Amino acid sequence: MAADSTTPEVTGLTLRSLLTGCALVVLISLGAPHSIWTFGSTEITWSFFPAGVGFLFLCLVLVNTLLKQHRPAWALNSAELMTVLAMSLVIIGIPVFLTGYFLAIPTTPYYFASAENQWGEFVIPHLPAWLLPSNEGLAMTWFFEGLPPGEPTPWATLFDAWAMPLFWWLSFIFTLFFVCFCIVVILRKQWVERERLAYPLMEVPQTLVTDATEGLPPILRNKVFWIGAAIPLFIVFWNIIGYFFHFFPTIEWNYPIQTLRGFPPINIRLYFPVIGFMYFANLNVSFSIWFFFLLTLIEEGLFNRFGLGVTDADKFVWGLPSTSWQCWGAFVTLVLWGLWVARDHIKDVFRKAWNTDLPIDDSREMMSYRASVVGLVIGTVYMLVWLNKVGMEWWVASSFLAFVLIAYLGITRLVIQTGIYYLTTPVVSQAMTMMSFGTSAISAPGLAALGLCYSFFGDVQSIFMTSAAHAAKLQSSLRIARRGFALAIGLAVVLSFAVSLTNLISMAYEQGASNFNSWIFRVSSGAGVMAFGDVMAKIKTPADFHAQKLGFFGIGAAAMSVLTFMQYRFPWWPLHPVGLAVSAIWMIRNQAVAIFISWAAKSLIMRFGGIELYRKAAPFFIGLIVGYFLGVGISFIVDVVFFPGNGHAIMHG
């Protein structure tokens, strides 16, 4: 599948691929919020290769196969298909996890403030007005409650309320995306060519676009593939019968098992994409993930039984505080060690940016090294200035932004190396900044600004950097012309924001955002209430740095350092450090059993059949993934047609 250095570049951005990619971007951007907030169905953009993208891409491949047979001139080639896929992947975090939060949080203060909660005294005076939509003309009241019946949409009032905040928010978010893109370009060669990371999530699309003389990809003519696909499809079709007949027994996707008193339960979940994707990860990686998960489970149980550890939870951190901070220490150490290993390459990139005559080749990157380095520097400076103008002191802004980028880098590195399907950060950057320096050392405007920044860095999922890294891998492997490819990514991001914002704001004024089937818009306990309630508490009762949390952070960092040393020093060492870096993340609890199943299956296959049997079995695991994508897509269509508002979520949460 991969192209060598002598392979000529091919153009991926054509009029037909651009139109197809834009169509998929619009469908995903419109469908994602409706799927969970209106239809009550499966969240189609959750994960780093979500079902919404997988289902639409599979449909595109099948349609393209028919075109190859009947209208060959209309069919997309491999480069065009990968361009369409990249456009779909880079926008997965926009419709729900980004647009949703940065509309839910800044809209809350003016609407929710009251004499009882004292926000008007402790919070609102420290928030920049240019980032908060005004409630003049009841614009925010109608946003949460919906327009009165028969009331025409007051477009002039809404424009005045939304125009300036959206401009400044988007200026920061677009800059953050661009900086992430520059980092991916800088590190792509290190990850792909020097460290040879696995990129397990890209196995499916690269297999599906393999050229076939008959038109149909060879994988779709493989019986082993269809055996794998039949398993999730059978469960979905069986359960769809139960949608219509409530007396019909259903097959559950989740089987929680309670262990000892005080110990967290073990969730046995039928996560078929996790089983499939982890098959393509290294065995020591998958073994270490479930091993450290069990170790952390025991640790948390002991903490609960004996009343040990940290009890003060951080906002937007869903795991046990003690092990979350321990995991965060390992996570940060993993990122810093990865940068240290890449130091020679990074030096070469910066030297190339200064002197373009140096021999290091950047012709296969999505952007030149000079443009990437300059973009990284200018973008970082702009974000620091923006954060300072919002209210953060320079040192607070620097710390916060540094840990934001560390979190993005860590998630990206872990996903492309291990194939973990869902992943977030163990601790958010706001908590790290506040606990390291103490809330007493940060001004009230700085604390308010940190709370406001939960709008884009709170529930950190389906991030752009990871999708951009996958896109860079596809682009370099197929030698797709970089300029058109990068332009396609940029167009997809802009289009998705335009569609998502227009759609979500329209939905809110039509239905009332507080009526969405989503906790983040709840007026009593939503994301905005959580963020600014925490801000008010920290302004009213400032505290020094949190020695206990930082102690667990240090324990995780030290353990990670020892594991890293053992891995690099002793080839026989069985535990990979990445397992510790994700051990306490709540998403791993839902995936650990599936990861164990994948590890056990691959171990047996390699032990008794070697590499030959591994290759023969690979279509079965790809079938598990594709069958799940098909099943979710079909279930979603059934929900839209027959059960709008009362849908059926598959493998959600």
Side-chain angles (χ1 to χ4, degrees):
M1 188 66 196
D4 58 35
S5 58
T6 61
T7 304
E9 283 192 342
V10 291
T11 300
L13 183 62
T14 60
L15 179 61
R16 60 189 179 185
S17 67
L18 177 63
L19 293 176
T20 305
C22 287
L24 265 60
V25 167
V26 171
L27 286 174
I28 294 167
S29 300
L30 291 176
H34 281 288
S35 65
I36 51 174
W37 296 342
T38 301
F39 300 123
S41 189
T42 304
E43 208 293 272
I44 61 173
T45 57
W46 192 37
S47 82
F48 293 103
F49 199 122
V53 174
F55 176 72
L56 291 175
F57 185 70
L58 183 62
C59 292
L60 176 62
V61 169
L62 295 176
V63 170
N64 201 58
T65 299
L66 295 176
L67 291 177
K68 283 182 180 180
Q69 296 174 341
H70 302 289
R71 291 288 189 274
W74 294 5
L76 301 174
N77 60 35
S78 297
E80 291 171 314
L81 285 171
M82 288 305 190
T83 301
V84 172
L85 176 65
M87 293 177 69
S88 303
L89 284 177
V90 296
I91 61 99
I92 56 177
I94 294 174
V96 172
F97 294 109
L98 196 51
T99 303
Y101 278 90
F102 101 80
L103 289 184
I105 293 179
T107 54
T108 302
Y110 289 137
Y111 173 73
F112 193 73
S114 65
E116 290 76 18
N117 61 35
Q118 297 180 304
W119 283 17
E121 178 183 354
F122 289 98
V123 177
I124 292 179
H126 304 298
L127 294 172
W130 45 277
L131 283 181
L132 303 180
S134 169
N135 198 30
E136 292 185 11
L138 300 179
M140 293 305 100
T141 300
W142 288 339
F143 177 83
F144 282 99
E145 299 177 7
L147 287 166
E151 183 77 20
T153 304
W155 294 111
T157 301
L158 297 185
F159 180 83
D160 292 339
W162 286 100
M164 185 166 65
L166 285 180
F167 171 81
W168 287 113
W169 275 113
L170 289 175
S171 76
F172 182 89
I173 292 172
F174 282 146
T175 304
L176 179 61
F177 273 39
F178 182 65
V179 166
C180 291
F181 187 81
C182 293
I183 293 173
V184 165
V185 171
I186 291 171
L187 292 175
R188 199 275 319 167
K189 182 176 288 187
Q190 173 70 25
W191 289 339
V192 175
E193 300 178 18
R194 296 193 176 191
E195 298 184 52
R196 297 186 180 277
L197 300 183
Y199 289 83
L201 299 189
M202 293 298 98
E203 286 292 332
V204 170
Q206 291 186 105
T207 303
L208 287 175
V209 301
T210 300
D211 289 330
T213 54
E214 296 87 355
L216 193 69
I219 187 71
L220 298 182
R221 291 181 277 110
N222 188 302
K223 293 181 180 179
V224 176
F225 165 84
W226 286 109
I227 293 173
I231 297 174
L233 278 173
F234 172 79
I235 295 175
V236 171
F237 289 151
W238 179 277
N239 287 346
I240 285 177
I241 298 174
Y243 296 176
F244 297 92
F245 306 101
H246 297 295
F247 58 85
F248 195 81
T250 59
I251 300 174
E252 297 295 331
W253 298 86
N254 181 29
Y255 302 89
I257 297 178
Q258 184 62 51
T259 53
L260 299 175
R261 182 174 61 87
F263 284 73
I266 296 177
N267 294 324
I268 299 177
R269 295 191 173 221
L270 299 178
Y271 274 17
F272 292 110
V274 176
I275 298 172
F277 284 123
M278 290 303 298
Y279 181 77
F280 301 101
N282 294 334
L283 279 172
N284 65 333
V285 168
S286 53
F287 169 77
S288 298
I289 292 174
W290 69 259
F291 174 84
F292 280 108
F293 157 75
L294 289 179
L295 205 61
T296 301
L297 207 68
I298 295 171
E299 184 181 9
E300 291 186 2
L302 293 175
F303 283 158
N304 290 333
R305 289 290 294 270
F306 295 103
L308 302 175
V310 180
T311 57
D312 180 20
D314 302 288
K315 301 303 178 184
F316 295 93
V317 176
W318 316 117
L320 188 74
S322 300
T323 51
S324 293
W325 279 88
Q326 179 180 284
C327 182
W328 176 236
F331 188 98
V332 172
T333 304
L334 173 76
V335 174
L336 297 180
W337 173 252
L339 294 175
W340 174 255
V341 169
R343 64 191 183 280
D344 291 335
H345 171 69
I346 294 173
K347 288 178 184 177
D348 289 341
V349 169
F350 275 78
R351 289 173 58 214
K352 178 75 171 183
W354 180 261
N355 181 5
T356 55
D357 293 331
L358 291 178
I360 180 173
D361 182 26
D362 61 356
S363 62
R364 295 181 65 178
E365 311 301 336
M366 292 189 290
M367 199 164 58
S368 71
Y369 284 151
R370 169 172 284 185
S372 300
V373 171
V374 172
L376 172 63
V377 172
I378 294 176
T380 302
V381 170
Y382 176 78
M383 288 191 291
L384 287 173
V385 172
W386 191 94
L387 292 171
N388 176 255
K389 295 299 182 182
V390 174
M392 295 186 199
E393 296 89 338
W394 287 107
W395 58 273
V396 175
S398 300
S399 171
F400 170 72
L401 184 59
F403 285 108
V404 166
L405 295 178
I406 285 173
Y408 287 160
L409 261 174
I411 292 173
T412 300
R413 168 75 187 227
L414 286 164
V415 171
I416 66 176
Q417 182 173 8
T418 68
I420 296 176
Y421 195 50
Y422 305 91
L423 192 64
T424 186
T425 177
V427 170
V428 292
S429 180
Q430 292 90 332
M432 184 64 185
T433 301
M434 290 187 285
M435 297 303 103
S436 297
F437 301 106
T439 54
S440 59
I442 304 174
S443 66
L447 292 172
L450 286 170
L452 191 59
C453 286
Y454 286 122
S455 301
F456 67 87
F457 195 82
D459 198 5
V460 186
Q461 301 185 47
S462 302
I463 61 172
F464 169 80
M465 183 184 282
T466 304
S467 298
H470 284 137
K473 172 66 163 61
L474 297 175
Q475 181 264 337
S476 62
S477 297
L478 289 177
R479 288 194 62 82
I480 303 173
R482 66 184 189 182
R483 291 183 179 177
F485 199 79
L487 178 61
I489 290 175
L491 288 172
V493 169
V494 173
L495 178 61
S496 181
F497 268 110
V499 173
S500 299
L501 285 170
T502 303
N503 176 54
L504 191 51
I505 292 174
S506 299
M507 285 172 60
Y509 284 106
E510 179 182 347
Q511 306 173 29
S514 62
N515 296 320
F516 292 166
N517 184 26
S518 171
W519 76 272
I520 67 174
F521 289 101
R522 291 176 190 162
V523 295
S524 59
S525 58
V529 176
M530 179 189 293
F532 296 117
D534 184 56
V535 167
M536 189 180 73
K538 288 180 167 56
I539 291 176
K540 292 179 68 175
T541 57
D544 294 330
F545 70 93
H546 203 297
Q548 199 176 23
K549 290 180 178 178
L550 295 180
F552 277 99
F553 175 88
I555 291 171
M560 188 69 172
S561 300
V562 172
L563 287 170
T564 303
F565 171 79
M566 296 297 290
Q567 183 203 19
Y568 279 85
R569 181 66 178 83
F570 303 106
W572 51 265
W573 181 252
L575 297 177
H576 198 286
V578 299
L580 182 61
V582 300
S583 58
I585 297 174
W586 69 270
M587 294 178 177
I588 297 299
R589 295 185 181 186
N590 293 336
Q591 300 175 76
V593 172
I595 293 172
F596 171 79
I597 293 171
S598 184
W599 168 82
K602 184 176 179 179
S603 296
L604 292 173
I605 289 170
M606 293 296 293
R607 182 177 181 84
F608 295 106
I611 191 67
E612 183 178 355
L613 184 58
Y614 165 79
R615 290 171 178 166
K616 289 181 179 178
F620 173 84
F621 291 89
I622 293 177
L624 291 177
I625 301 166
V626 172
Y628 169 78
F629 288 162
L630 281 172
V632 170
I634 294 169
S635 177
F636 176 74
I637 293 171
V638 170
D639 280 342
V640 171
V641 175
F642 297 102
F643 305 99
N646 295 286
H648 306 82
I650 296 176
M651 206 179 74
H652 182 69

